[in-house]
């Protein structure tokens, strides 16, 4: 079994919004970038985000996620970013990556590595949760918006954060009925405007409510839902049976940080950012030399912040590698930080901003 | 008979009071006098395409970007460019001057099939309940809207403050 070695100046692990933004940015200053992604197409979650993005003009607000994805891809192409798809990065140690592509193993020597591996959906366990038809809201979104397959005919959405609300809306757009959205907390988690557009179609949003059971022979045929008290206990007599063939779970995401753990990065436990998050400084640099993080792996937010973190990391890496003077780099990094800051304002962002400050101000960065 | 599932009261609802108190909502007098843009955006979220697209500077978000959009109804000529650009689909145009007894409501709509001009449809309120019958006056779906159509319907005037859409044109089972 021959082991081949390749040299890469900047390796980006993960070709989602953060990874592509890093790649396009760093390559635009002349860095030789290779993006590794285990999927057959690049873009991560961007190509299933068919809604118009929030934010300002500089965040590409009002443009649909997949169109932002196409423009990132064309920037990557323009600046000569190499992509290795269907490629799993299975190991990392200092400036070395172990990858597998098409059954072959390679060793990649890098000067800098960016880990932009994103997040995975949290599961929810209840009787019947392994039945066919119970899936993450993200999986339903992939089926509808990428593969153009209806994941069911009638759905129950569990969770009312922005993912739950947006995917419910997209289920309706795909011609799938939504029987209800249930939320364990007394209030919805996502934006009111997202809830409002779903409510205009009459879909009920039930708060202080949960799923008790999925029933069916081989696949979901029914969902049992019920009200819960403040302690989360099901209130007897409130159970309802909904005839659905699809149950979507949208109860949060957590960073896919295995490579960061493997590399020896230091972590901080920050529930508001999804779980244990790799500590990074203001340049998105982790606690391990030459390893940077960007996007959801560095704390669960959304695609706009992921792209801005990616740009910030891309500038920082270009500077470190000598492609950008420190004065010019500082100016550009500050602009990126300002754009990030603006996305973390308001009641939905300030707890994230606070958690991010804890990361960047952590002593272990010094 | 099965009772229908109802939303938990207060769970999501943008109450009329909250909306009418927000700076994007026109006054009663303005609603009577002329076609007006109605912005139903009562939460401080980082978003400002409505400000960017307005050619007359009538909508202001400013800094910080989480400010609620304010609208200067004297500068606004109700061109409606802000309706399809709003990522929250939260902007409407209400014209109570359409005729003596009728008003029009224009709203963003991304479902297919689209209704056709002249169709008789059911108009719905913010809760998705059928409020009244409506006639589709205009369906605008130019490329620049990027698949967010703007539909204008004619309804009896007394419903103009509550109608914000139409029943989906796809077949929906109403028994649940």
């Amino acid at each position: 079994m021959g082991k081949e070695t390749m040299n890469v100046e900047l390796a980006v692990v993960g070709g989602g919004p953060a990874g592509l933004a890093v790649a396009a940015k760093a390559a635009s200053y002349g860095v030789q970038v290779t993006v590794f992604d285990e999927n057959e197409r690049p873009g991560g979650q961007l190509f299933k985000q068919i809604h118009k993005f929030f934010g300002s003009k500089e965040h590409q607000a009002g443009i649909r996620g997949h169109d932002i994805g196409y423009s990132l891809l064309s920037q990557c192409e323009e600046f000569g970013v190499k992509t290795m798809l269907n490629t799993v990065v299975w190991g990392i140690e200092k400036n070395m990556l172990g990858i597998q592509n098409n059954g072959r193993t390679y060793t990649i020597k890098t000067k800098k590595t960016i880990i932009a591996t994103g997040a995975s959906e949290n599961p929810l366990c209840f009787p019947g949760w392994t039945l066919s038809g119970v899936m993450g809201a993200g999986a339903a979104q992939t089926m509808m918006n990428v593969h153009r397959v209806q994941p069911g005919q009638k759905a129950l959405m569990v969770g009312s954060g922005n993912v739950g609300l947006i995917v419910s809306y997209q289920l309706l757009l795909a011609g799938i009925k939504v029987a209800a959205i249930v939320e364990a907390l007394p209030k919805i988690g996502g934006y009111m405007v997202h809830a409002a557009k779903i409510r205009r179609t009459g879909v009920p949003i039930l708060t202080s409510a949960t799923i008790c059971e999925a029933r069916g022979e081989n696949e979901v045929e029914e969902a049992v839902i019920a009200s819960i008290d403040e302690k989360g206990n099901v209130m007897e007599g409130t159970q309802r049976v909904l005839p659905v063939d699809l149950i979507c779970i949208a109860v949060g995401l957590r960073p896919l940080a295995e490579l960061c753990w493997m590399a020896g990065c230091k972590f901080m436990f920050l529930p508001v950012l999804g779980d244990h998050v790799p500590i990074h400084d203001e340049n998105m640099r982790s606690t391990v030399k030459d390893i940077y993080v960007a996007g959801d792996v560095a704390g669960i937010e959304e695609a706009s912040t992921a792209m801005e973190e990616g740009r910030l990391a891309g500038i920082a890496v270009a500077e470190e590698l000598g492609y950008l003077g420190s004065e010019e780099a500082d100016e550009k990094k500050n602009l990126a930080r300002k754009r990030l800051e603006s996305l973390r304002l308001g009641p939905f962002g300030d707890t994230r901003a606070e958690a991010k400050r804890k990361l960047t101000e952590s002593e272990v960065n010094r | 008979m099965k009772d229908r599932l109802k939303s938990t009261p207060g769970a999501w609802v943008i109450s009329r009071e909250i909306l009418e108190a927000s700076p994007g909502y026109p006054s009663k007098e303005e609603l009577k006098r002329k076609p007006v843009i109605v912005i139903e955006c009562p939460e401080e979220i980082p978003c400002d395409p409505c400000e960017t697209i307005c050619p007359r500077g009538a909508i202001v978000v400013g800094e910080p970007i989480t400010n609620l959009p304010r609208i200067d109804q004297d500068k606004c000529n109700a061109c409606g460019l802000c309706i399809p650009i709003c990522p929250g689909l939260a902007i409407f145009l209400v014209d109570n001057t359409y005729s003596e007894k009728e008003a029009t409501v224009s709203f963003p709509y991304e479902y297919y099939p689209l209704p056709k001009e002249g169709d008789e449809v059911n108009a719905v309120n913010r809760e998705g309940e059928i409020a009244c019958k409506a006639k589709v006056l205009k369906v605008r779906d130019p490329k620049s809207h990027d698949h967010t159509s703007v539909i204008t319907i004619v309804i009896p005037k007394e419903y103009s403050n509550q109608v914000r859409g139409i029943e989906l044109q796809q077949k929906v089972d109403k028994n649940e």
Side-chain angles (χ1 to χ4, degrees):
Chain A
M1 239 174 52
K3 232 193 211 173
E4 293 172 53
T5 302
M6 290 191 265
N7 287 304
V8 168
E9 191 170 27
L10 170 62
V12 178
V13 185
L20 292 180
V22 172
K25 202 66 184 174
S28 75
Y29 301 119
V31 181
Q32 304 293 309
V33 187
T34 303
V35 177
F36 301 92
D37 197 297
E38 63 185 355
N39 297 293
E40 61 189 42
R41 328 183 212 197
Q45 311 307 306
L46 266 180
F47 286 96
K48 63 192 205 192
Q49 299 197 349
I50 59 170
H51 55 279
K52 292 179 178 172
F53 274 33
F54 286 71
S56 69
K57 199 172 182 182
E58 54 202 6
H59 306 119
Q60 296 175 284
I63 300 176
R64 294 184 189 275
H66 55 264
D67 288 326
I68 295 175
Y70 285 121
S71 88
L72 268 179
L73 284 181
S74 72
Q75 286 169 39
C76 285
E77 198 171 331
E78 184 188 336
F79 297 121
V81 172
K82 284 189 197 136
T83 46
M84 281 191 75
L85 300 171
N86 298 308
T87 301
V88 176
V89 177
W90 50 261
I92 182 167
E93 194 187 345
K94 289 179 184 159
N95 295 63
M96 283 221 288
L97 298 178
I99 69 163
Q100 195 184 44
N101 172 276
N102 203 15
R104 291 184 75 105
T105 292
Y106 303 84
T107 306
I108 309 291
K109 283 191 177 160
T110 72
K111 286 193 176 147
K112 304 278 176 197
T113 301
I114 309 235
I115 300 179
T117 40
S120 65
E121 298 189 279
N122 292 331
L124 189 68
C125 302
F126 48 86
W129 75 300
T130 55
L131 280 173
S132 169
V134 181
M135 63 181 81
Q141 209 183 16
T142 304
M143 288 177 75
M144 292 187 289
N145 301 348
V146 178
H147 302 296
R148 302 181 187 236
V149 173
Q150 285 182 322
Q153 292 304 310
K154 189 157 192 182
L156 169 70
M157 178 64 66
V158 182
S160 72
N162 277 335
V163 172
L165 295 176
I166 290 172
V167 175
S168 293
Y169 179 63
Q170 293 177 354
L171 287 166
L172 294 166
L173 289 178
I176 297 160
K177 294 159 199 162
V178 180
I181 300 173
V182 289
E183 165 61 56
L185 294 172
K187 270 203 180 311
I188 61 162
Y191 293 170
M192 244 187 227
V193 287
H194 286 315
K197 63 190 184 195
I198 298 161
R199 286 293 294 137
R200 289 202 285 274
T201 67
V203 172
I205 300 177
L206 308 163
T207 52
S208 301
T210 192
I211 178 160
C212 305
E213 189 183 351
R215 290 180 186 159
E217 193 70 32
N218 296 308
E219 53 196 33
V220 175
E221 292 162 28
E222 285 175 349
V224 184
I225 58 168
S227 298
I228 51 176
D229 61 22
E230 313 88 74
K231 288 181 183 155
N233 297 320
V234 168
M235 291 158 76
E236 276 313 313
T238 62
Q239 286 92 342
R240 310 251 331 208
V241 178
L242 303 180
V244 296
D245 61 355
L246 173 64
I247 298 172
C248 293
I249 308 298
V251 294
L253 300 151
R254 66 183 60 231
L256 266 176
E258 293 91 336
L259 286 175
C260 300
W261 288 108
M262 198 185 274
C265 296
K266 292 212 165 71
F267 279 73
M268 196 182 277
F269 179 62
L270 292 165
V272 64
L273 293 179
D275 203 307
H276 284 85
V277 179
I279 294 171
H280 60 78
D281 68 7
E282 282 198 304
N283 292 324
M284 304 310 298
R285 187 169 46 193
S286 79
T287 55
V288 174
K289 192 173 172 284
D290 296 331
I291 294 180
Y292 290 67
V293 289
D296 273 356
V297 72
I300 305 300
E301 298 193 84
E302 30 74 43
S304 300
T305 42
M307 289 184 284
E308 293 300 353
E309 284 192 343
R311 290 187 187 104
L312 176 57
I315 298 162
V317 164
E319 180 192 9
E320 287 248 324
L321 292 170
Y323 290 93
L324 202 56
S326 67
E327 208 167 298
E328 197 188 349
D330 277 347
E331 196 184 311
K332 290 183 193 306
K333 285 191 287 191
N334 282 333
L335 284 174
R337 287 183 194 124
K338 272 220 176 88
R339 292 195 299 268
L340 268 173
E341 216 171 276
S342 76
L343 290 171
R344 293 176 184 143
L345 291 172
F348 290 90
D350 53 10
T351 53
R352 284 185 284 123
E354 174 65 30
K356 278 287 185 180
R357 262 195 301 279
K358 280 188 192 155
L359 286 176
T360 55
E361 287 168 8
S362 164
E363 277 175 19
V364 298
N365 282 321
R366 296 191 193 108
Chain B
M1 199 182 79
K2 274 202 317 200
D3 52 327
R4 282 180 62 176
L5 271 182
K6 283 206 181 98
S7 267
T8 316
W12 76 277
V13 179
I14 307 183
S15 73
R16 275 276 279 283
E17 291 73 27
I18 293 176
L19 285 178
E20 288 175 6
S22 72
Y25 210 91
S27 70
K28 286 203 171 85
E29 192 271 328
E30 285 158 343
L31 274 163
K32 243 182 238 169
R33 180 162 56 92
K34 57 179 232 158
V36 281
I37 287 294
V38 177
I39 307 179
E40 304 201 344
C41 180
E43 278 180 329
E44 293 172 322
I45 51 184
C47 192
D48 69 1
C50 51
E51 176 181 40
T52 313
I53 202 157
C54 180
R56 301 167 75 94
I59 302 179
V60 178
V61 174
E63 298 237 359
I65 189 179
T66 43
N67 285 340
L68 298 181
R70 277 168 291 141
I71 180 158
D72 182 339
Q73 296 288 358
D74 293 330
K75 280 189 189 167
C76 173
N77 67 346
C79 71
L81 277 176
C82 49
I83 301 173
I85 198 74
C86 171
L89 306 189
I91 305 184
F92 307 86
L93 195 157
V94 175
D95 182 3
N96 282 310
T97 68
Y98 179 70
S99 76
E100 199 192 326
K101 290 204 167 129
E102 293 163 318
T104 67
V105 174
S106 305
F107 54 89
Y109 192 81
E110 295 185 325
Y111 300 95
Y112 291 97
L114 290 173
K116 287 186 288 297
E117 291 178 3
D119 279 359
E120 296 280 340
V121 294
N122 288 321
V124 296
N125 62 16
R126 296 183 184 92
E127 313 292 328
E129 298 157 349
I130 295 169
C132 59
K133 290 271 175 218
K135 192 169 174 190
V136 178
L137 186 65
K138 271 188 213 155
V139 176
R140 277 161 299 180
D141 184 25
K143 240 186 155 166
S144 61
H145 285 189
D146 190 12
H147 306 285
T148 308
S149 306
V150 177
I151 315 272
T152 303
I153 54 173
V154 181
I155 53 167
K157 214 177 254 187
E158 59 267 35
Y159 295 104
S160 70
N161 227 1
Q162 47 167 298
V163 164
R164 290 296 178 263
I166 54 172
E167 204 179 22
L168 297 196
Q169 301 301 290
Q170 33 182 276
K171 294 268 176 281
V172 172
D173 176 6
K174 277 173 236 151
N175 294 325
E176 296 305 328

